[in-house]
Amino acid sequence: MNGILYLEDGTVYKGKGFGKKGTSVGELVFNTSITGYQEILTDPSYAGQIITMTYPLIGNYGVNSVENESSKIYAKGFVTKSIEQNPSNYMSEESLEKMLENMGIVGVCHVDTRSITKRIRNQGALKCVISNEDLSMEELEKIIKQEKLKEDWMKEVGTKQILHIPGTGPKIAVMDFGIKKNILNNLQYRNCDITVFPYSTSYEEIMNINPEGVLLSNGPGNPEAATEAVETVKKIIKKVPTFGICMGHQILALAVGGQTYKMKFGHRGGNHGVYDIKRDRAYITSQNHGYAVERKSIEQSGMEITHINLNDDTVEGMKHKELPVFSVQFHPEGAPGPTDSTYLFDKFIDQLKEDAKCQ
């Protein structure tokens, strides 16, 4: 079947369709990772987006039931240069195309992904219609004009009920804005007793379990749309040590009086250099975000910048000058990508122990 991308600026890319037969509208973004397409697709932070992979060969090692980062795909579409139909890997259980068919995701391949990436870099993330149905240009234009992109995906993609993962270590409350499985895996590896709370959970409900620490998870959308979560976090950070990751980092910034802004095309990939100021060391990190924290607003809000991006000098980490509160914009859990910065989970646990001694 034929495939097509119709961008809001009128640009059209024609190729071949794969995955589920259908039509979707989303924000067109690109990811520079060479491997990890399964983890990328199942990362809830991609909700509402159409993902273009810059690496040309995708699907070559298939997919399996182990490496999903959530139970479904929240992205609106998938774009590749080529798609492998006959994967070869000892863990492979089915092809990537079969996974997309089963999860209802539209795909388009055999398009110039380099050209798409350059267009996004020049003009910024663009609204896009992806289709592998036989639609006219007039129909595609009508669809893209009628569809409005959502900004509050973080309210929908997380758990809908409280989940408890028992452990013998520190009691951690997780605010779920679209958490990846490997974040929970890292807490479990450190024997944490974990309770995952839905987006709508109140401050009082969270504090009822007497958590020793709170983790603010990653998630999709505009952090400024998470108004209820920001108000809850304002109260939490005054009472409990807190660690924010990605969306959690942005919500924390808003909670202390800082500001966030939409980036031109964001950071998405497994090869982003970040400088840890205190350690005087650079790390290669996994990233997936389209918003960032405004530097001056943070420096005036009781926070200290701890990490910066080596490509564009954006804020990648911060900590409170007085409270046991810190966050990072990147993904220390990787999945996909390097795990060089998993030391941050150890830092969080050490902070809980230190806070307990002071009480």
Side-chain angles (χ1 to χ4, degrees), residues 16 57 88 124 128 133 146 163 174 176-177 192 219 221 228 234 250-252 256 258 281 283 316 352:
K16 181 180 178 182
L57 178 59
S88 176
C128 170
E133 299 179 296
Q146 288 179 339
L163 303 175
V174 174
D176 184 3
F177 308 123
C192 295
E228 303 91 344
K234 283 181 181 180
Q250 298 161 6
I251 288 176
L252 176 60
V256 298
R281 179 176 171 182
Y283 292 87
E316 290 281 358
L352 303 184

Side-chain angles (χ1 to χ4, degrees), residues 164-338:
H164 181 233
I165 305 171
T168 58
K171 185 181 291 186
I172 307 297
V174 174
M175 293 186 68
D176 184 3
F177 308 123
I179 196 166
K180 290 171 60 183
K181 182 180 71 174
N182 207 38
I183 292 178
L184 296 175
N185 289 346
N186 271 274
L187 294 177
Q188 285 183 276
Y189 177 75
R190 290 160 177 82
N191 300 315
C192 295
D193 185 86
I194 308 163
T195 304
V196 184
F197 291 95
Y199 174 87
S200 58
T201 307
S202 68
Y203 166 76
E204 289 75 18
E205 288 178 279
I206 294 172
M207 296 307 293
N208 275 343
I209 70 164
N210 295 315
E212 297 171 60
V214 174
L215 186 140
L216 313 177
S217 85
N218 65 293
N222 182 350
E224 292 184 3
T227 52
E228 303 91 344
V230 170
E231 292 304 312
T232 299
V233 172
K234 283 181 181 180
K235 300 174 184 176
I236 286 174
I237 60 176
K238 297 176 182 178
K239 297 290 184 179
V240 186
T242 305
F243 176 27
I245 295 175
C246 201
M247 172 64 74
H249 163 81
Q250 298 161 6
I251 288 176
L252 176 60
L254 295 173
V256 298
Q259 298 175 358
T260 58
Y261 63 93
K262 187 173 177 61
M263 305 173 76
K264 186 175 182 180
F265 49 81
H267 298 156
R268 297 174 181 88
N271 51 3
H272 289 261
V274 166
Y275 178 59
D276 183 324
I277 297 172
K278 184 176 181 180
R279 289 191 167 204
D280 189 25
R281 179 176 171 182
Y283 292 87
I284 301 300
T285 68
S286 177
Q287 302 209 9
N288 172 23
H289 61 101
Y291 291 82
V293 171
E294 203 282 316
R295 178 188 292 265
K296 289 184 179 179
S297 72
I298 284 304
E299 293 173 335
Q300 298 169 359
S301 302
M303 304 296 286
E304 175 184 346
I305 295 172
T306 58
H307 298 73
I308 56 172
N309 189 286
L310 290 172
N311 292 326
D312 59 13
D313 204 39
T314 51
V315 177
E316 290 281 358
M318 60 185 184
K319 69 174 182 179
H320 200 281
K321 293 179 181 178
E322 298 176 5
L323 302 172
V325 172
F326 73 101
S327 63
V328 290
Q329 181 63 78
F330 54 92
H331 286 262
E333 80 285 352

Side-chain angles (χ1 to χ4, degrees), residues 4 22-23 129-140 143:
I4 191 168
T23 301
V129 178
I130 182 171
S131 179
N132 48 31
E133 299 179 296
D134 293 323
L135 299 178
S136 67
M137 291 297 170
E138 290 76 18
E139 289 174 305
L140 293 170
I143 290 170

Side-chain angles (χ1 to χ4, degrees), residues 16 48 57 60 65 71 73 102 183 225 304 357:
K16 181 180 178 182
L57 178 59
N60 52 311
S65 56
S71 61
I73 296 175
N102 293 338
I183 292 178
E304 175 184 346
K357 290 180 183 178

